[in-house]
Amino acid sequence: MRIALDAMGGDYAPLETVKGAIEAIGENKNIRVILVGKEELIKEELLKYSYDVDRIEIKNATEVIEMDEKSSPTAAVRAKKDASMNVALEMVKNKEATACISAGNTGALMTASQLKLKRIKGVLRPAITTVFPANDNKHIVLLDAGANADCKPEYLDQFATMANEYAKVLLNIESPRVGLLNIGEEDGKGNELTKAAFYLLKENKYIDFRGNIETREMTNGSVDVVVTDGFTGNIVLKTAEGTVHFMKNIIKDGVNKSLLAKIGALLMSSVFKEMKRQSDSSEYGGALFMGLNGISIKAHGNSDSKAIKNAILVGNKFAENNFVESLKKVIGGENENS
Amino acid sequence: MRIALDAMGGDYAPLETVKGAIEAIGENKNIRVILVGKEELIKEELLKYSYDVDRIEIKNATEVIEMDEKSSPTAAVRAKKDASMNVALEMVKNKEATACISAGNTGALMTASQLKLKRIKGVLRPAITTVFPANDNKHIVLLDAGANADCKPEYLDQFATMANEYAKVLLNIESPRVGLLNIGEEDGKGNELTKAAFYLLKENKYIDFRGNIETREMTNGSVDVVVTDGFTGNIVLKTAEGTVHFMKNIIKDGVNKSLLAKIGALLMSSVFKEMKRQSDSSEYGGALFMGLNGISIKAHGNSDSKAIKNAILVGNKFAENNFVESLKKVIGGENENS
């Protein structure tokens, strides 16, 4: 599979993006990476590595959409036609690549992905998936993670159908268990949106619906997919991030204050490493823009080479599994231009 | 101040409730506690302690609303007229007590509090406050924590006014900084509700509005009050709880797997104690039902004596500060029956 990587996207591009591409082709022999961006800069980075030259290509793109782009995402995407993320997405559109990976500006990437790839016919609202860690090294797919701040019940119903297909591929589960994120587990709990969505989900023939689920219970692994509106999904992600940060700070402060604790922390380093690994978003290979007529994956802005590599591997996995075709089957349409 | 304590409410009642009352009068000489519940059981518990008998009273109440009450909260509150929480609230209504504290069934307590105390005239929707930990041992007041799953912008605007008064008393701050919980910091971000609430909050003359705040930033202490709808507030609380639990599990698993890590954990015990303390809800003295014509505080269902004691101290603080009168001034009304 040929994967187009926005080599200029992310806080540590092109250093970590190029390194991630090299790592990805080292890990999976079926992958070829097209590094999209400023040719001279990419060539310079590539000099650092020895690699299978047949499996790394460069596609020159003269512009870059900055992480802190001053203009609106839409304006930036339209103004910089030759921006690396635009060119990478164009390659997916033209079937020159099977997936686009970018750690660049989220808003711009979302806009560009929709403009270039268009939504699949029948998709009410494209959305952002993310993967949330659960106990025992399990993972939960969360949709929508932030694309649609205001949702209708039918959107949530369709998010469930799409996230279900996503979980099948990503988690290798035949029949994922789907839950509706809510503030109580009993039927009839929640706000107007979740109350109405509950009844649609109960009737959704594509999914194994397990009812309402509370965030407190998300990590116990009782479901594989959690559906919510983009506002709530984003709040969940950022609350979890903030809480992890808060706890790490307490540990760090305590260790700095006491020599005994410092020695203790050294002895516990394997545990803290595991904690970092399990609470680290770079393990999960990025967020997919769901509902589009092609695969576009957003890696975290602060991605290191490992996060980029994982995003490439995930992109490749979805491409190999003909994910977009599977989505079209359950949504029942072609792309919106057809 | 005379505080009515629902001695039968909570997972460990009356053992921990009675113990908490004894601890409270030991810590603050201005407090008298009325233990409301089954007289015989309470007397039996009291035998365990030596205390100032003038500052502990018993008010007999023959019924108990169970934590897992089968009928609806409203039905339970209406059917069990002589339930301990009903009687305790009745005492506040009749000015025989200045505050009611209960660790009992949340839904029932919320219903009973509204039925007995009525809302202050002008209050659009009573709400639940909670206190969230932030870095450097700071605390943030969050409103609404779960009473109103569906909110209008005006509710959020009034929540801000009420939470502002609350923070003044609880955190001893003259001019609390108020933020609107949102999924982006820029003006104009969010869903329809937060976008509309933002402009009302900007014009709210009672508060020092600092704009949108993300949950990831809540713990850095940049604001003292965070306003949100009850659905989102509840999601935030339960996500934080779930994340703390998740991280503790990873640490526990790791420590159980390695002798070195076990020794490390022993050396770090002061740090873990601090982590527990800072992430422990029992430190903050419970949640106040905001907007009612009297003080009613909900302690966590699994409260131990320390949590009960803290809730009593907080209830006393609000009573001493004439909190309800302050609220009436900013809301501009009397109670709804007047």
Side-chain angles (χ1 to χ4, degrees), chain A residues 238-262:
Chain A
K238 286 173 182 165
T239 304
E241 258 184 59
T243 307
V244 167
H245 194 70
F246 174 70
M247 307 247 320
K248 282 183 179 166
N249 265 352
I250 296 174
I251 294 174
K252 213 185 283 173
D253 281 2
V255 166
N256 284 336
K257 273 184 208 147
S258 143
L259 181 63
L260 269 188
K262 212 168 271 174

Side-chain angles (χ1 to χ4, degrees), chain A residues 268-319:
Chain A
M268 283 188 74
S269 59
S270 65
V271 178
F272 290 129
K273 224 176 184 171
E274 182 64 16
M275 193 165 91
K276 186 176 177 327
R277 193 184 69 76
Q278 287 197 36
S279 60
D280 183 0
S281 58
S282 74
E283 290 290 329
Y284 317 122
L288 184 115
F289 292 119
M290 185 74 101
L292 301 182
N293 199 35
I295 295 164
S296 172
I297 289 179
K298 167 75 176 83
H300 206 291
N302 68 7
S303 287
D304 59 8
S305 64
K306 193 179 79 177
I308 296 291
K309 178 200 73 180
N310 284 333
I312 294 171
L313 295 176
V314 165
N316 181 66
K317 192 173 184 184
F318 279 98

Side-chain angles (χ1 to χ4, degrees), chain A residues 20-313:
Chain A
I22 301 291
E23 288 172 14
I25 64 164
E27 198 157 317
N28 185 326
K29 290 200 171 153
N30 297 324
I31 294 178
R32 303 166 65 97
V33 178
I34 307 147
L35 292 164
V36 184
K38 294 187 174 173
E39 195 164 9
E40 292 310 308
L41 291 177
I42 294 170
K43 275 188 174 156
E44 214 178 295
E45 284 301 320
L46 280 172
L47 287 177
K48 297 180 184 169
Y49 310 97
S50 66
Y51 57 92
D52 180 351
V53 290
D54 288 342
R55 289 165 57 219
I56 294 280
E57 298 168 37
I58 300 175
K59 170 83 177 178
N60 191 38
T62 56
E63 292 174 293
V64 175
I65 293 175
E66 304 294 340
M67 299 304 276
D68 57 349
E69 192 74 30
K70 293 282 171 326
S71 52
S72 79
T74 312
V77 166
R78 288 189 193 275
K80 297 182 173 177
K81 296 235 179 298
D82 203 37
S84 52
M85 70 170 67
N86 272 334
V87 174
L89 285 161
E90 193 77 26
M91 295 186 82
V92 176
K93 182 185 164 190
N94 298 336
K95 315 280 183 208
E96 298 165 67
T98 55
C100 166
I101 315 293
S102 175
N105 184 311
T106 308
L109 185 64
M110 192 156 65
T111 305
S113 299
Q114 293 201 46
L115 284 173
K116 297 284 182 195
L117 304 178
K118 313 287 182 194
R119 68 176 81 163
I120 293 168
K121 196 176 168 185
V123 166
L124 300 169
R125 289 290 182 280
I128 302 176
T129 57
T130 192
V131 177
F132 209 81
N135 293 333
D136 305 324
N137 278 305
K138 284 183 192 145
H139 294 115
I140 295 176
V141 171
L142 179 83
L143 187 73
D144 175 17
N148 305 282
D150 290 292
C151 284
K152 294 182 178 171
E154 310 90 74
Y155 302 174
L156 266 59
D157 187 35
Q158 199 179 61
F159 291 167
T161 305
M162 297 196 289
N164 189 57
E165 295 304 308
Y166 183 84
K168 282 184 194 172
V169 174
L170 189 79
L171 310 177
N172 298 311
I173 305 174
E174 209 167 304
S175 181
R177 298 156 302 169
V178 179
L180 172 66
L181 188 61
N182 213 331
I183 57 171
E185 294 192 349
E186 307 85 347
D187 294 15
K189 276 269 176 180
N191 57 14
E192 284 170 16
L193 174 66
T194 58
K195 280 181 199 168
F198 184 91
Y199 292 101
L200 294 179
L201 289 164
K202 256 179 108 166
E203 302 298 320
N204 185 325
K205 63 183 179 181
Y206 293 108
I207 63 166
D208 175 10
F209 182 52
R210 299 296 180 100
N212 292 320
I213 181 152
E214 296 197 61
T215 40
R216 197 166 44 190
E217 307 300 326
M218 267 176 68
T219 50
N220 72 3
S222 59
V223 295
D224 307 298
V225 172
V226 167
V227 176
T228 187
D229 65 277
F231 187 88
T232 306
N234 202 266
I235 290 278
V236 166
L237 289 184
K238 286 173 182 165
T239 304
E241 258 184 59
T243 307
V244 167
H245 194 70
F246 174 70
M247 307 247 320
K248 282 183 179 166
N249 265 352
I250 296 174
I251 294 174
K252 213 185 283 173
D253 281 2
V255 166
N256 284 336
K257 273 184 208 147
S258 143
L259 181 63
L260 269 188
K262 212 168 271 174
I263 298 167
L266 278 175
L267 295 173
M268 283 188 74
S269 59
S270 65
V271 178
F272 290 129
K273 224 176 184 171
E274 182 64 16
M275 193 165 91
K276 186 176 177 327
R277 193 184 69 76
Q278 287 197 36
S279 60
D280 183 0
S281 58
S282 74
E283 290 290 329
Y284 317 122
L288 184 115
F289 292 119
M290 185 74 101
L292 301 182
N293 199 35
I295 295 164
S296 172
I297 289 179
K298 167 75 176 83
H300 206 291
N302 68 7
S303 287
D304 59 8
S305 64
K306 193 179 79 177
I308 296 291
K309 178 200 73 180
N310 284 333
I312 294 171
L313 295 176

